[in-house]
Amino acid sequence: MSDYIEVINPRTKICTLIKNGEPVAIYKMEQCDRCSSLSKLDEFGYQKGYDNADKIIWFCAGCR
């Protein structure tokens, strides 16, 4: 059995990383708009709209 477990709330897309039954980290997950995989959210993945204000789509690190 693995020491680390990721528990993702599908409604809020918030992930809790658990090590040996103790929460270690809580972070936001997002679904990639290209490959549909769930990955840890980072702001660099957003593609902005024409006016550079709207965040249109998000790509994971592998698809960027």
Side-chain angles (χ1 to χ4, degrees):
M1 183 183 228
S2 176
D3 290 337
Y4 289 96
I5 299 172
E6 282 185 324
V7 179
I8 302 170
N9 183 332
R11 209 172 278 160
T12 62
K13 291 187 182 172
I14 293 182
C15 179
T16 304
L17 181 64
I18 299 172
K19 179 181 179 186
N20 297 325
E22 296 293 323
V24 176
I26 297 174
Y27 47 88
K28 179 97 170 111
M29 301 288 284
E30 189 62 54
Q31 186 173 7
C32 178
D33 289 319
R34 183 173 287 164
C35 69
S36 299
S37 67
L38 281 174
S39 301
K40 186 176 178 181
L41 177 68
D42 61 344
E43 292 294 321
F44 298 112
Y46 280 113
Q47 303 296 309
K48 303 219 172 148
Y50 178 73
D51 58 358
N52 285 334
D54 297 329
K55 296 175 181 175
I56 306 293
I57 56 178
W58 185 81
F59 294 135
C60 66
C63 290
R64 279 185 246 147

